[in-house]
Amino acid sequence: MNEILIINKLTKQFEGEPKPSIENIDLTLKSGRCLGIVGESGSGKSTLARAITGLIPVTSGEVIFDGKCISKFSPSQYRRIYKDLQMIFQLPRESFNPIRSLGESIVLNLKNFGFCGNYKNKAISLLNRCGLDSSFYNKFPAEVSGGECQRAAIARAIAPSPKLLICDEATSALDMIVQRKIISLLNDLKDEMGMAILFICHDISLVHYMCDDVAVMKDGRIMEKDVTSRIIHRPQNKYTKALIEASDVY
């Protein structure tokens, strides 16, 4: 498996802030694996996701995606790699255009990234793959449940067959039963498509269920990182131990 994402000494300090939101982050993610980033709110997880995807500029360090250093890319250069780098957000309805049907939003992603073929049939096939029937093609974001909307968001994100899928608290707005179903779907898609997943979450019990590897963040820094089983059963850092003790991971 090749390293699809390499992060070296990544730092982001917002103007006027006394200290960096993320500092000296070093991470590696291989194709076909899921890396969990876990920590409390304010630990820097979402800042890290936004820095990787070019939504905010970095202060220093580098992000290497698929062999290219993308951390200094211009917006137009970033747009050219979004076929291979997709992101799912915490609040799915807010990521959709409310006056466009779910199917139309998926079709737009297909068109943007060069799909050739019957757009509607492909969109319905993607919805089916994510557990939604063909009727959802014509439904609007406000007409479906949060879990259904997140499934549609996943269908849209996998439309261009990305090499890396970033999930930024993608299950935290859903109830526990729906969370588990979405995570099971993501795991199935990872195995089917061979893509890498960066799974950002504050709940270490979900990370335990989802991820091959885990990095624990606190105050913008990585406290420890390892394969999931060792993090869960033999944590080395006091903060990691406290996260595990506060969860239902056992």
Side-chain angles (χ1 to χ4, degrees):
M1 291 184 290
N2 66 308
E3 294 173 337
I4 192 68
L5 180 68
I6 302 171
I7 299 173
N8 293 323
K9 305 298 180 188
L10 195 68
T11 296
K12 172 60 182 179
Q13 183 160 2
F14 291 97
E15 186 175 351
E17 292 295 322
K19 62 180 183 178
S21 293
I22 55 173
E23 188 172 11
N24 291 324
I25 301 295
D26 291 318
L27 290 171
T28 301
L29 174 58
K30 293 184 177 181
S31 297
R33 290 185 72 81
C34 179
L35 170 62
I37 308 292
V38 65
E40 296 172 302
S41 296
S43 61
K45 304 184 304 297
S46 290
T47 299
L48 175 60
R50 292 165 66 200
I52 293 169
T53 54
L55 296 177
I56 55 172
V58 303
T59 303
S60 61
E62 60 183 10
V63 178
I64 300 170
F65 171 68
D66 200 21
K68 306 178 187 72
C69 184
I70 65 172
S71 41
K72 303 299 182 184
F73 270 17
S74 67
S76 62
Q77 287 175 308
Y78 261 105
R79 282 193 291 272
R80 288 198 289 271
I81 68 164
Y82 284 148
K83 178 183 184 299
D84 295 320
L85 174 59
Q86 290 279 300
M87 189 164 171
I88 304 170
F89 298 90
Q90 178 179 2
L91 300 173
R93 284 195 185 90
E94 294 185 6
S95 74
F96 281 98
N97 185 330
I99 62 172
R100 184 178 286 138
S101 76
L102 299 175
E104 289 169 341
S105 291
I106 296 170
V107 165
L108 185 60
N109 230 23
L110 290 168
K111 290 180 176 178
N112 285 342
F113 298 113
F115 173 78
C116 296
N118 186 304
Y119 292 115
K120 183 174 182 178
N121 286 350
K122 180 62 175 177
I124 290 173
S125 174
L126 288 162
L127 288 167
N128 292 163
R129 194 173 191 182
C130 294
L132 301 174
D133 65 43
S134 59
S135 69
F136 283 85
Y137 183 92
N138 292 314
K139 291 184 179 180
F140 290 84
E143 297 177 328
V144 301
S145 71
E148 290 166 342
C149 200
Q150 195 62 289
R151 285 176 181 270
I154 295 169
R156 181 182 58 183
I158 66 169
S161 298
K163 296 179 181 178
L164 172 61
L165 183 63
I166 297 178
C167 302
D168 186 11
E169 298 280 8
T171 62
S172 62
L174 308 174
D175 66 54
M176 187 176 298
I177 293 173
V178 177
Q179 280 181 349
R180 293 299 171 115
K181 289 179 179 179
I182 294 295
I183 287 174
S184 179
L185 169 63
L186 289 168
N187 269 326
D188 289 344
L189 291 169
K190 173 176 68 74
D191 293 339
E192 288 172 21
M193 301 175 70
M195 66 183 174
I197 295 178
L198 187 67
F199 187 76
I200 294 167
C201 184
H202 63 268
D203 186 343
I204 201 165
S205 64
L206 289 179
V207 168
H208 178 223
Y209 183 65
M210 173 78 187
C211 303
D212 302 300
D213 309 285
V214 179
V216 180
M217 285 190 75
K218 182 177 186 293
D219 297 331
R221 289 178 171 269
I222 301 293
M223 296 292 101
E224 66 177 306
K225 53 190 175 185
D226 209 330
V227 298
T228 302
S229 58
R230 282 199 289 268
I231 288 284
I232 297 299
H233 298 295
R234 294 192 296 278
Q236 301 301 304
N237 185 271
K238 289 182 180 179
Y239 177 68
T240 307
K241 292 176 182 177
L243 283 180
I244 293 169
E245 288 170 1
S247 74
D248 59 353
V249 71
Y250 296 117

